[in-house]
Amino acid sequence: MTINPSADRWVGRSVPRVEDAALLTGRARFIDDLPTATNTLDAAIVRSPHAHAEIRRVDVDAALASEGVVAVVTGDDVKRLTRSMTVGVKANVECWPIATDRVRYVGEPVAIVLATDRYLAEDAAERVGVDYDILPAVVDPVAALGDEAPVLHPSLGSNLINERRFSYGDPDNAFAAAPHRIGVDIAYPRNSCTPIETYGVVAHYDPGEDAYEILANFQGPFSIHAVVARALKVPGNRMRLKTPPSSGGSYGIKQGVFPYMILMGVAARIAGRPVKWIEDRIEHLAASVSATNRATKLEAAVEADGRITALAWDQIEDCGAHLRAPEPATLYRMHGNMTGAYAIANVSIRNRIVLTNKTPTGLNRGFGGPQVYYPLERLMQTIARTLKLDPIEVIRRNLVPSDAFPYRTATGALLDSGDYGTALGRAIAEGGYAALVERRKTARAEGRVYGIGLAAAVEPSVSNMGYITTVLTPEEREKAGPKNGAQATATVAVDPLGSVSVKVASVPQGQGHRTVLAQVVADALGLDPGSVSVIADVDTGRDAWSIASGNYSSRFAPAVAGAAKLAADRLREKLKHVAAGQLNTVPDDIAFEGGRIASRANPDNSVSFSRVAAAAHWAPGTLPEVVDQTIRETVFWTPDELAAPNADDEINSSLCHGFIFDFCGVEIDASTGETRIDRYVTMHDCGTILHPAMVEGQVRGGFAHAVGAALLEEYAYGADGSFQSGTLADYLIPTVMEVPEPVILHHETPSPFTPLGAKGVGEGNCMSTPVCIANAIADAIDAESVTLPLTPSKILGLIAGEEPQAKNPPRKIEPAGPSGQRKLTGEGAAEVAATREEVWKMLLDPQTLDAIIPGSHGVRRISDTHFAADVTLGVGPVKGRYKADIELFDLDEPNAVTLRGKTVGALGFGEGEGRITLTDIGSGRTRIAYTYEAGVGGKVASVGGRLLDGAARVVIGQFFKALANHAGGGASGAGFLARLKALVGGGS
């Protein structure tokens, strides 16, 4: 055996991923693939179609009488068996995982139906009757602060749940002395993540132990375990939380599954049987958590050369209907990094957190970074534009100097390492910036619309668990006690045959945990990674874990893999003593390589690793006195650099700080407004790179997410809070056609604060890319202000400006329903083989209507001109049962009639009005002409407009075909009555 201390290490090499064999062949075990007990019930959730309404009554009798139904859980049940979830700030407000007194967003759970299979549960859910008293809604965070805004939580008294002001340095004097005060006003929209796998929960309740066991594809942080246990009224050791071996992506959003963990635990307790719930895609889009939207005013005190001496932040954070843990984390995660990559000594911050009639918010890839860097980097370009300076020079002049690290920011972050100026210079040179400038010059000379954008960002990783307490005043923090740290846990163990296993409390969602951890441990013990087995699912009843455990804030490489290295190093040191005794040498002479342990001085004096490692099992009496045992080592690691916020509200929010510098060129089609990313260059400093191919994969994934945020993705709400982007036909995500090949560059400055020198890399482009693309578009069209997402229609509006008012504008048709409902209007005609009198009688006859209305379960006559109907109709994935109420007025028998209708169902609601005219065209035939206006809301309104219109044509066609057949034949066409009863009812 030859000992080579400089032999290649596994860390830093792109070895094949061990996870991929199962993932690519369909053998990975996701939550919906795992076996359940034979008596497990399936759950379906009844959700609110309204954004804001009082709940008068929930009628579950019909659902309970349905086939296969075992129980129906309501808000009253949940309040009886649980306590309000912990809220992140001190406020007089309750937060339940289900609506109790009122609903506050479209999609909020109102009831849970438990049945022997999902199909029966879904059918029965449509039979749950909920009587709502609709209230005004508010969706804009600035408007939510107004005196006239509807208040979501009467106990709170307003929609402002928290406000704090901060001052660092001397911003007032800096602004007074500066020759320029330059600012931006930003409205950052809501967007979210769309992992392949949605939420999933399987819950058991043991009445003898009063204990819960919950399997969920929850990602962490495991501080939420305490929130769930407290809500379920049990100690933490009686709330066992497990995760499946595989998770189909998360990007932060699976933190938001925890309210459903509480609900399914309660459901299992009430039913006396295990309960399983798998979220569907429409539920996920409409009702799972999203990133916060934020209104920001940012001003800078600027010198003539573009140097910034002070920043003034005013941020209004929209956390939706409830402030659920860990919120307002999105707002405060970046608190130490409010100066970005720049050396700015003076900062003031005003933070306001408001509630609106939208889904509660939570973790989302980039987690607070996009909302900060969009205004900050738009400000940098605005400064360059205002002062007529080169934007690169404005960035360069403000960067933290290379000799300043570790650098303490004004707000308290400790930037661990970096060489920002050199990284920027390398990106400019190696990324071809000069050539891109020439390309822009040529394009513009040819009359094409072309622009260049830049962005610099610091990417924080390994969040300090105490940063969230910055939302409290120093006095409140002192009373509550300090909170800080980022504890990571890892266990490295050997079995009786000397095989090595690794266990970490981090839930993988595609990051390659098993591959990288095997590399790290193999290096420490001189093994091949294939001989190291890694277990990465979490079981709080079995594993070593802490409240910081989980997979979030890009903590895997710096913290989790670092903890595994420390555990392996400890095991290695003990094995040195054991091997030294077996080889008759001293521990310092011992080397590990190639699966053997040998003397450095005499490499032929060696023994296999497995023989030494197994000694603790087979011959514990032979262990040296200095070695207690060598079977396993568990490390709980937390860095000293992560302290609690101090009395001056300074906080090192994260341990590690990577650096990103991006630039891109975009070309815009002046006719369509479509943006094409011509070239994108991204430079990263993520410290020591553990696996180059996976780092590149993380960069590419973050970049793809960011392209969607920049150009396509937005959670859209009507003025009444109706959700209008509830399918992937409306919430557009990027495909390979929209995502170009980025040029990825690296500049490594290892972190002195992590065991492996690694920093996070998975979130960076979600922070830098949206604003980089926006800056390029603003440059291309010479716009002062641009708002995401920059869709073609929005860009065309910026290019063309406001359209001139027409001399004779067309009559504006107002929506038939409340403001904000999805509007449906139209007109048309059809012919039937019947006289006007016959058609008139048909339209007023309940039996005829029941026969020809698609999906009808019966039409009842309340009076000669008043009918009630029960129908089941669907649009694509949305199918539901609705109660319709139709009135006829302005009757001109047999020539014309006006109909007005309202419908309500579990999946939607609506109202509308239309006029039907009957004209005799001879030969016993009648022409039916109609016009209508209608509005739909609720879950069905989230279905795309194109899908609504397409389904409408189908339903209308079915109605008139049936009418024609009933009348004795004739041309099929379209008709308002079906439209009113189907479309307005939410069926299309």
Side-chain angles (χ1 to χ4, degrees):
M1 175 180 177
T2 300
I3 302 298
N4 180 12
S6 62
D8 287 344
R9 298 176 64 79
W10 292 107
V11 168
R13 296 163 60 180
S14 296
V15 301
R17 287 172 30 118
V18 298
E19 295 89 348
D20 288 348
L23 291 171
L24 298 176
T25 58
R27 293 198 297 270
R29 292 179 297 154
F30 301 94
I31 190 167
D32 202 24
D33 301 321
L34 300 179
T36 58
T38 55
N39 63 337
T40 299
L41 299 172
D42 281 279
I45 298 176
V46 178
R47 298 182 181 272
S48 168
H50 304 289
H52 201 194
E54 295 282 356
I55 299 176
R56 292 173 175 169
R57 184 176 59 91
V58 180
D59 185 354
V60 302
D61 291 345
L64 282 170
S66 299
E67 179 186 356
V69 172
V70 173
V72 179
V73 179
T74 66
D76 289 341
D77 299 316
V78 174
K79 286 191 72 171
R80 175 171 50 86
L81 295 174
T82 71
R83 57 168 63 97
S84 172
M85 296 184 294
T86 302
V87 179
V89 300
K90 187 176 178 60
N92 184 22
V93 64
E94 292 184 334
C95 182
W96 301 95
I98 191 171
T100 56
D101 56 340
R102 66 169 70 180
V103 295
R104 294 177 173 89
Y105 64 93
V106 170
E108 184 166 15
V110 176
I112 307 165
V113 178
L114 309 175
T116 51
D117 67 46
R118 179 65 178 261
Y119 304 99
L120 295 175
E122 292 280 2
D123 289 345
E126 295 181 8
R127 296 178 176 270
V128 174
V130 186
D131 188 6
Y132 296 102
D133 184 6
I134 299 176
L135 301 171
V138 60
V139 295
D140 179 79
V142 177
L145 293 172
D147 293 338
E148 302 302 318
V151 175
L152 274 70
H153 297 268
S155 62
L156 189 61
S158 76
N159 296 318
L160 178 67
I161 194 168
N162 182 265
E163 178 175 4
R164 285 221 61 201
R165 294 176 185 262
F166 306 86
S167 182
Y168 304 92
D170 191 355
D172 291 340
N173 280 335
F175 272 101
H180 301 283
R181 187 177 188 126
I182 299 172
V184 292
D185 197 341
I186 302 296
Y188 197 88
R190 280 196 173 206
N191 51 41
S192 193
C193 299
T194 48
I196 294 174
E197 181 194 44
T198 57
Y199 293 164
V201 179
V202 181
H204 298 249
Y205 175 71
D206 182 345
E209 298 288 336
D210 186 25
Y212 296 88
E213 181 177 303
I214 296 174
L215 172 70
N217 50 14
F218 175 69
Q219 71 165 82
F222 274 70
S223 56
I224 298 297
H225 178 277
V227 174
V228 174
R230 179 177 173 80
L232 290 172
K233 298 183 180 180
V234 294
N237 60 4
R238 294 213 297 270
M239 208 294 286
R240 185 177 186 178
L241 173 59
K242 300 193 291 184
T243 66
S246 296
S247 178
S250 173
Y251 318 111
I253 202 168
K254 283 181 179 164
Q255 163 270 331
V257 72
F258 79 89
Y260 297 100
M261 292 156 48
I262 298 169
L263 289 180
M264 297 309 143
V266 171
R269 179 173 181 171
I270 289 174
R273 293 165 62 174
V275 171
K276 178 178 180 178
W277 172 71
I278 302 295
E279 181 185 50
D280 68 36
R281 179 60 60 182
I282 289 180
E283 285 181 297
H284 186 79
L285 283 168
S288 65
V289 298
S290 73
T292 60
N293 55 292
R294 185 179 301 175
T296 300
K297 291 184 178 180
L298 175 60
E299 290 187 306
V302 188
E303 299 294 325
D305 64 355
R307 295 179 192 272
I308 301 171
T309 60
L311 291 175
W313 290 88
D314 187 345
Q315 303 181 111
I316 301 174
E317 184 86 333
D318 180 354
C319 286
H322 303 282
L323 192 65
R324 286 182 179 164
E327 293 290 29
T330 307
L331 182 60
Y332 281 92
R333 183 206 180 188
M334 300 292 295
H335 195 80
N337 304 106
M338 299 303 288
T339 52
Y342 307 118
I344 303 171
N346 307 293
V347 180
S348 68
I349 301 171
R350 183 188 187 189
N351 285 342
R352 284 174 285 178
I353 303 164
V354 303
L355 304 178
T356 64
N357 293 110
K358 293 185 283 196
T359 54
T361 58
L363 307 190
N364 199 75
R365 194 172 193 171
F367 192 32
Q371 293 90 336
V372 165
Y373 286 118
Y374 191 84
L376 183 58
E377 294 303 301
R378 284 293 299 131
L379 175 66
M380 300 304 288
Q381 176 157 315
T382 302
I383 290 171
R385 175 191 174 100
T386 302
L387 302 182
K388 296 181 170 50
L389 298 172
D390 183 344
I392 285 183
E393 286 307 308
V394 173
I395 291 174
R396 197 193 307 269
R397 289 168 187 167
N398 286 287
L399 288 175
V400 174
S402 298
D403 60 357
F405 294 92
Y407 175 82
R408 182 73 68 176
T409 70
T411 52
L414 185 63
L415 307 185
D416 47 334
S417 66
D419 188 352
Y420 298 172
T422 299
L424 182 147
R426 284 190 53 208
I428 293 297
E430 298 171 29
Y433 182 77
L436 193 64
V437 172
E438 287 300 312
R439 191 179 305 187
R440 177 178 63 181
K441 182 179 179 181
T442 300
R444 290 181 174 181
E446 295 172 355
R448 290 148 54 202
V449 183
Y450 198 100
I452 294 175
L454 307 97
V458 166
E459 178 182 0
S461 55
V462 190
S463 290
N464 181 352
M465 294 299 287
Y467 75 82
I468 186 61
T469 62
T470 314
V471 72
L472 306 175
T473 65
E475 295 75 21
E476 289 170 332
R477 290 198 299 269
E478 184 176 1
K479 184 177 180 181
K483 293 180 174 60
N484 69 288
Q487 199 166 70
T489 67
T491 298
V492 179
V494 292
D495 65 17
L497 297 179
S499 302
V500 178
S501 62
V502 182
K503 181 74 190 73
V504 294
S506 181
V507 183
Q509 292 119 15
Q511 295 92 338
H513 281 31
R514 293 172 57 203
T515 300
V516 174
L517 291 172
Q519 288 177 276
V520 170
V521 173
D523 273 344
L525 301 179
L527 302 172
D528 184 283
S531 64
V532 180
S533 175
V534 178
I535 303 169
D537 57 313
V538 175
D539 181 341
T540 61
R542 174 197 69 190
D543 303 328
W545 61 282
S546 78
I547 63 166
S549 295
N551 190 6
Y552 59 97
S553 82
S554 294
R555 69 195 309 269
F556 169 68
V560 177
K565 172 180 167 48
L566 296 178
D569 285 348
R570 287 187 188 178
L571 192 62
R572 174 191 174 104
E573 289 304 309
K574 290 186 176 182
L575 290 174
K576 277 185 179 182
H577 288 275
V578 178
Q582 294 182 7
L583 299 176
N584 195 28
T585 185
V586 296
D588 288 344
D589 183 43
I590 295 297
F592 293 70
E593 186 176 335
R596 298 190 69 78
I597 303 177
S599 164
R600 294 180 186 275
N602 179 17
D604 291 335
N605 181 22
S606 68
V607 67
S608 69
F609 173 87
S610 60
R611 180 170 178 175
V612 175
H617 289 281
W618 299 105
T622 66
L623 299 181
E625 290 185 4
V626 295
V627 177
D628 53 355
Q629 52 80 25
T630 61
I631 296 174
R632 73 175 55 226
E633 283 292 331
T634 297
V635 164
F636 285 80
W637 174 78
T638 191
D640 295 335
E641 292 78 13
L642 297 183
N646 63 22
D648 295 322
D649 289 317
E650 294 169 340
I651 177 65
N652 186 24
S653 339
S654 298
L655 177 67
C656 308
H657 299 89
F659 175 70
I660 307 166
F661 176 71
D662 292 356
F663 66 86
C664 69
V666 305
E667 184 169 358
I668 297 171
D669 188 315
S671 299
T672 66
E674 183 178 2
T675 299
R676 179 180 65 86
I677 303 173
D678 184 41
R679 182 173 178 81
Y680 199 99
V681 177
T682 181
M683 164 64 81
H684 287 257
D685 176 1
C686 61
T688 302
I689 295 176
L690 306 185
H691 190 293
M694 278 196 265
V695 166
E696 180 166 321
Q698 289 295 312
V699 172
R700 288 175 180 273
F703 176 62
H705 265 113
V707 169
L711 302 178
L712 300 168
E713 299 182 39
E714 180 181 15
Y715 270 25
Y717 293 85
D720 67 339
S722 56
F723 186 59
Q724 297 180 346
S725 49
T727 74
L728 296 180
D730 291 271
Y731 187 80
L732 301 178
I733 58 177
T735 70
V736 292
M737 301 302 294
E738 290 79 35
V739 181
E741 188 80 6
V743 177
I744 302 173
L745 304 173
H746 291 283
H747 182 82
E748 293 185 54
T749 61
S751 172
F753 300 157
T754 66
L756 292 163
K759 309 175 188 178
V761 72
E763 301 175 89
N765 280 100
C766 287
M767 303 179 186
S768 62
T769 295
V771 67
C772 185
I773 293 173
N775 279 340
I777 291 172
D779 178 56
I781 62 177
D782 194 26
E784 291 186 7
S785 177
V786 290
T787 302
L788 300 184
L790 285 158
T791 57
S793 61
K794 200 175 288 184
I795 292 174
L796 278 180
L798 292 169
I799 293 174
E802 292 188 8
E803 294 185 7
Q805 182 66 41
K807 292 182 178 179
N808 297 299
R811 181 177 66 88
K812 183 178 180 181
I813 301 176
E814 298 297 331
S819 175
Q821 291 182 4
R822 187 178 289 278
K823 181 180 177 182
L824 301 169
T825 62
E827 59 184 20
E831 296 180 10
V832 295
T835 65
R836 284 182 299 167
E837 290 77 11
E838 290 170 333
V839 173
W840 185 272
K841 290 179 181 178
M842 291 179 192
L843 294 177
L844 299 181
D845 176 43
Q847 292 183 340
T848 303
L849 293 176
D850 185 40
I852 65 177
I853 293 176
S856 176
H857 301 288
V859 176
R860 293 184 296 107
R861 185 196 297 274
I862 298 174
S863 71
D864 289 344
T865 58
H866 190 183
F867 301 90
D870 190 12
V871 296
T872 296
L873 292 161
V875 183
V878 182
K879 184 178 181 180
R881 192 159 179 155
Y882 309 92
K883 294 185 181 299
D885 186 87
I886 308 261
E887 290 187 86
L888 286 71
F889 60 98
D890 289 344
L891 282 73
D892 179 14
E893 183 180 359
N895 302 308
V897 62
T898 298
L899 294 89
R900 179 182 297 139
K902 294 183 178 181
T903 55
V904 177
L907 303 181
F909 62 92
E911 54 188 313
E913 185 174 301
R915 184 72 170 170
I916 295 179
T917 304
L918 307 179
T919 305
D920 187 351
I921 57 176
S923 302
R925 302 177 67 85
T926 300
R927 182 177 186 272
I928 306 175
Y930 60 88
T931 61
Y932 62 86
E933 298 172 357
V936 296
K939 186 174 182 179
V940 70
S942 67
V943 175
R946 286 170 294 176
L947 188 56
L948 277 171
D949 290 340
R953 285 192 292 271
V954 172
V955 173
I956 290 169
Q958 291 174 344
F959 173 79
F960 272 99
K961 182 177 180 180
L963 178 61
N965 290 337
H966 200 84
S972 63
F976 173 72
L977 188 59
R979 181 79 172 195
L980 188 62
K981 291 191 175 182
L983 295 188
V984 177
S988 60

